[in-house]
Amino acid sequence: MSGINYSEKIPNNVSLATDRALQRALEHWQPKFIDWWKGMGPTDFQAADVYLRTAVSVDAEGWAQYGAVKMPEYRWGIFLADAVAQRKIGFGDAMGQPVWQQVPGEYRSTLRRLIVTQGDTEPASVEQQRLLGHTCPSLYDLRNLFQVNVEEGRHLWAMVYLLHAYFGRDGREEAEELLQRHSGDADKPRILTTFNEPISDWLSFYCFTYFTDRDGKYQLKSLAESGFDPLSRTCRFMLTEEAHHMFVGETGIGRVVKRTLEVMKELGTDDPARIRAHGAVDLGLLQKYLNFWCSSSLDLFGNEISSNSAANFANGLKGRPDETSYEDHVLREATFQLKTPQGEENVPMLNAVNEVMRESYLKDCEIGLKRWNRVIERAGHGAFALRLPSTRFRRSIGIWAGQPADPQGNVVAKEVYEKNLANWIPTDEDRTFVKSLMQRVAEPGKIAGWVAPPDRGINNLPVEYEYVKLH
Ligand code: BYC
């Protein structure tokens, strides 16, 4: 491997070729990554030619170059957004001081942990989705799945670069372990619970890219504020790619809604049984999937009251998304009114940063719902408006964990909760039905019967373009 031309093999803007030690470390890791990709990445599609975008630089022309690629030959690159001259720490007790180009000793283990947690989610999501290709509703969707997968792979490279470049031997060990933990593995699971849930159908995939990738957006935005400048710059570039993943989720769910409304119109009914018999997803079933994935993703923000997040904020390691949009960047005086199962509580704002992030995340989640509900309303079915579940519903982390709250947030008797859960999240029967819809459609221009075709193709190509050549 020593003859590698890094600017060719691994596109990068971090002058890899001039840092021999870093180059050697990555040379060592790269074949293990490729082995992981072949073993744990998308099954059976490694020889297919996929119409993918690749980032070869961070400027407008270079960040999205399109062409047919076999996935194991994808050029996973390392990119940092351009440096901001004279950048200062924008929040916390060290606000106004110059950002750090190296890891401050006292924050070394915390920063490493944040980077490892972020890094762990990226390969986890690829593992969760590895079987989906077999049941793709169209070649367009199949290509989008693979685009998301290779970019999650690139995001892993981004975190592994930071670990190798700034954390010495510990960092290299962590980079190895990122390939050794696996989603759902009984002995070595992924770090965060949501990333151990299987994604075995495309409705889940659309929900995951809508809700869970959006957590990614919010976590990356908060790390993009970090006083550790290489982390900030890395996350800023990752955010440009993240937008497409959420597009896949938002348009995917939107296309399911559209198709369901067509079927309702065709049959002249809103009877879920008849809609299902016709091979479409009734809106009640879609609502259950939204409830499941939204509540699962809400856990990813951590506890409402968190001394970890308080310390990370005060120390300038992790800010709030869009930190500049707030007035107070120190939060030593402010308080936050928190609703707990015991009643309202006034807590120091510094300890409530996770909750502040969760609130802004939910506002962002509302945007898609408004769009889908407009379509539902226009079709004359306003009574079926889709809703986000309350932050109290089905939580496993934080003050509401284990509380029997309904999707509207009312605490109900445990028996009532348990009896109604089947109305709120997908049952085994629902999942079996959704699975029955998942029949592979892989002819150019064809689409499965449970989802509408997209409005437009990729990169100005027609929808019927052969986005994946299967051979
Ligand atoms: N599951 O003080 P707390 C993405 C642990 S998604 C399991 O509230 P903190 C992507 C916590 O670690 C974005 N454990 O936690 C999307 C802590 O343990 P210790 C991923 C959990 O630190 C789609 C303890 O409970 N990025 O990129 O304030 C596809 C106390 O909790 C969970 C990040 O998450 C959980 N859900 O917040 C691909 C950013 N929640 O320290 C990719 C990096 C909490 O007591 N991570 N715990 O042993 C972080 O910023 C923080 O670690 C967390 C937790 C926000 C996750």
Side-chain angles (χ1 to χ4, degrees), residues 78-93:
I78 299 171
F79 294 104
L80 272 57
D82 290 336
V84 174
Q86 312 284 316
R87 183 170 169 252
K88 303 279 189 297
I89 298 173
F91 60 91
D93 297 339

Side-chain angles (χ1 to χ4, degrees), residues 29 62 80 152 209 275 308 346 418 425:
W29 189 79
L80 272 57
E152 301 303 5
T209 42
I275 295 165
N308 285 350
N346 223 3
E418 266 149 29
I425 58 169

Side-chain angles (χ1 to χ4, degrees), residues 94-147:
M95 171 145 181
Q97 292 179 19
V99 291
W100 317 299
Q101 298 306 331
Q102 290 298 328
V103 180
E106 65 270 42
Y107 305 139
R108 191 180 169 83
S109 68
T110 311
L111 273 172
R112 192 183 62 210
R113 196 188 160 109
L114 285 172
I115 292 168
V116 166
T117 307
Q118 177 63 47
D120 191 70
T121 62
E122 316 289 2
S125 68
V126 177
E127 293 167 354
Q128 285 173 291
Q129 296 160 13
R130 66 190 302 258
L131 297 174
L132 277 179
H134 295 288
T135 56
C136 62
S138 70
L139 287 181
Y140 165 90
D141 287 282
L142 186 62
R143 176 270 170 198
N144 279 345
L145 167 70
F146 294 155
Q147 183 70 59

Side-chain angles (χ1 to χ4, degrees), residues 303-367:
N303 286 273
E304 285 80 359
I305 307 170
S306 163
S307 53
N308 285 350
S309 72
N312 291 343
F313 189 90
N315 294 332
L317 308 182
K318 186 178 171 192
R320 290 165 295 184
D322 305 307
E323 184 61 45
T324 50
S325 66
Y326 295 88
E327 265 173 33
D328 177 359
H329 302 289
V330 183
L331 305 184
R332 284 286 174 194
E333 311 293 330
T335 57
F336 184 88
Q337 191 77 6
L338 186 68
K339 290 197 180 81
T340 76
Q342 292 73 41
E344 300 249 339
E345 215 178 284
N346 223 3
V347 298
M349 182 66 91
L350 205 49
N351 292 72
V353 168
N354 286 347
E355 187 60 8
V356 170
M357 277 179 67
R358 192 167 9 241
E359 282 183 352
S360 49
Y361 162 81
L362 274 174
K363 274 200 196 119
D364 207 47
C365 287
E366 286 285 359
I367 295 171

